[in-house]
């Protein structure tokens, strides 16, 4: 089923052309999103207007203009491209919600185990989502925010805190997996070497992996190591969802804003992906994208489960 999902979901990404989009001044809702479909229903894309004001509740000196960019919708199984309308697209993402989306509430979560090798991971065949990203990108914070527990997954200002594959069982039915961050130059030599072998082994051999949530820090420009990682996962047919983190951090005076960094990243990725993977903006500080991400995960999981 994992393979089916990989092929099925990824091949169902299309593009449509849209106009007249506008955003209300909140981080979670499009006020209007109207589609004007091209004659060929195969390519669905929409103009994605990302105003700085949609990304954070706190801004100091916001720039006066917003911008938009072309993106592709992620259309899950069970929907025809021509059925897509604005209310089906999750705010702050390219993700269309379909019939497999279900109860996404987290009622119960427990830490199960830490493994230092892929073959030591739980063997009960429950579906799982792996949280992957650079050290300090906010993996543990995202897990804590999803499950609404402050210190379930340890967070730290010191990069390299998470060194093992940590399994958390949610609602006694599926796993969230916290992985060690990559690209941490100061990690002990041994830990760096282990990361490569055990995480690659994990991705290539874990049949129960529904999708990798690849976290990308939206407060910094695109990083080569993130692009390399996305490309490696793509080449190995491992389904991913880009989760842009720290979208609350508005660096107006210095560097680009999260929405601009996110657009730059997507433009670089576009060259390598025929069909753009799902993506979503989040912040573990403001809760931006939390409910939307859980809903997206529910549809991937339910499709995998059937
Ligand atoms: N402003 C802001 N800060 C965040 C966000 N998410 C995480 N952080 C901060 O970023 C730092 C690293 O967060 P972690 O969740 O520990 O990062 P990690 O990816 O698990 O790091 P490793 O386990 O070392 O790989 C902490 O200081 C967090 O408070 C976010 O959405 N917004
Ligand atoms: Mg961590």
């Amino acid at each position: 089923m994992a393979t089916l999902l990989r092929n099925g979901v990824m091949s169902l990404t299309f593009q449509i052309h849209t106009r007249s989009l506008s955003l209300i001044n909140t981080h979670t809702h499009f006020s209007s999103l109207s589609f004007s479909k091209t004659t060929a229903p195969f390519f669905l894309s929409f103009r994605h207007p990302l105003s700085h004001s949609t990304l954070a509740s706190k801004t100091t000196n916001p720039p006066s203009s917003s911008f938009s960019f072309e993106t592709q919708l992620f259309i899950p199984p069970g929907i025809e491209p021509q059925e897509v309308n604005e209310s089906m697209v999750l705010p702050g993402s390219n993700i269309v919600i379909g019939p497999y989306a279900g109860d996404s509430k987290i009622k119960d979560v427990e830490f199960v185990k830490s493994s230092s090798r892929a073959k030591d991971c739980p063997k009960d065949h429950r579906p799982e989502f792996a949280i992957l990203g650079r050290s300090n990108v906010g993996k543990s914070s995202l897990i804590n925010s999803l499950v609404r527990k402050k210190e379930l997954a340890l967070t730290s200002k010191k990069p390299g805190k998470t060194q093992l594959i940590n399994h958390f069982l949610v609602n006694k039915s599926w796993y969230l997996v916290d992985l060690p961050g990559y690209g941490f130059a100061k990690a002990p030599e041994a830990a760096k070497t282990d990361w490569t072998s055990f995480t690659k082994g994990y991705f290539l051999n874990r049949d129960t992996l529904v999708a990798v949530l690849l976290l990308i820090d939206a407060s910094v420009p695109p990083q080569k190591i993130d692009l390399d990682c996305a490309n490696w996962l793509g080449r190995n047919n491992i389904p991913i969802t880009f989760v842009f983190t720290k979208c609350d951090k508005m660096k107006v005076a210095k560097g680009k804003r999260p929405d601009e960094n996110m657009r730059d990243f997507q433009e670089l990725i576009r060259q390598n992906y025929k069909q753009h993977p799902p993506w979503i903006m989040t912040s573990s500080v403001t809760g931006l994208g939390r409910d939307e991400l859980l809903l997206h995960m529910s549809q991937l999981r339910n499709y995998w489960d059937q």
Side-chain angles (χ1 to χ4, degrees), residues 50-108:
L50 290 173
S51 150
H52 59 274
S53 57
T54 66
L55 295 172
S57 46
K58 287 183 273 177
T59 62
T60 42
N61 182 22
S64 54
S65 64
S66 61
F67 69 92
S68 62
F69 68 96
E70 289 271 335
T71 191
Q72 291 185 342
L73 291 179
F74 171 80
I75 303 183
I79 307 182
E80 293 302 323
Q82 59 272 18
E83 292 169 356
V84 173
N85 66 54
E86 63 189 84
S87 64
M88 294 156 78
V89 182
L90 283 177
S93 83
N94 70 337
I95 300 166
V96 173
I97 283 299
Y100 288 97
D103 185 10
S104 58
K105 276 208 186 79
I106 293 189
K107 293 162 204 134
D108 171 275

Side-chain angles (χ1 to χ4, degrees), residues 102-265:
D103 185 10
S104 58
K105 276 208 186 79
I106 293 189
K107 293 162 204 134
D108 171 275
V109 54
E110 59 189 287
F111 170 72
V112 174
K113 73 178 293 197
S114 292
S115 315
S116 60
R117 292 172 306 179
K119 62 179 185 182
D120 297 332
C121 292
K123 295 180 181 67
D124 52 10
H125 297 288
R126 292 184 167 105
E128 66 191 40
F129 294 88
I131 315 278
L132 179 67
R134 262 184 314 120
S135 288
N136 235 32
V137 69
K139 297 178 292 300
S140 301
S141 302
L142 181 79
I143 292 183
N144 292 335
S145 151
L146 290 178
V147 306
R148 292 230 160 98
K149 288 207 174 165
K150 274 230 162 76
E151 301 213 335
L152 184 76
L154 272 184
T155 56
S156 166
K157 289 204 186 306
K158 224 165 101 187
K161 184 86 184 167
T162 308
Q163 296 285 352
L164 297 161
I165 303 174
N166 296 310
H167 275 77
F168 298 93
L169 182 61
V170 181
N171 297 346
K172 307 213 173 349
S173 63
W174 56 277
Y175 288 111
L176 266 176
V177 185
D178 192 12
L179 294 170
Y182 55 77
F184 175 45
K186 288 185 198 133
E189 211 46 50
K192 272 199 284 179
T193 318
D194 280 357
W195 190 94
T196 318
S197 55
F198 85 44
T199 43
K200 281 191 179 169
Y202 168 84
F203 290 126
L204 296 174
N205 301 310
R206 194 72 178 154
D207 291 341
T208 50
L209 184 62
V210 177
V212 173
L213 306 184
L214 181 59
L215 273 54
I216 308 292
D217 186 343
S219 70
V220 296
Q223 308 284 303
K224 184 178 180 303
I225 195 161
D226 291 331
L227 297 164
D228 288 349
C229 181
N231 290 333
W232 186 86
L233 292 167
R235 271 200 308 279
N236 287 284
N237 288 325
I238 295 161
I240 62 176
T241 294
F242 291 118
V243 177
F244 290 95
T245 64
K246 309 193 185 182
C247 290
D248 58 283
K249 281 177 117 178
M250 304 305 289
K251 286 188 180 164
V252 173
K254 192 172 63 157
K256 291 188 175 178
R257 300 190 311 262
D259 49 352
E260 296 171 303
N261 290 327
M262 198 178 81
R263 178 200 54 190
D264 292 348
F265 184 88

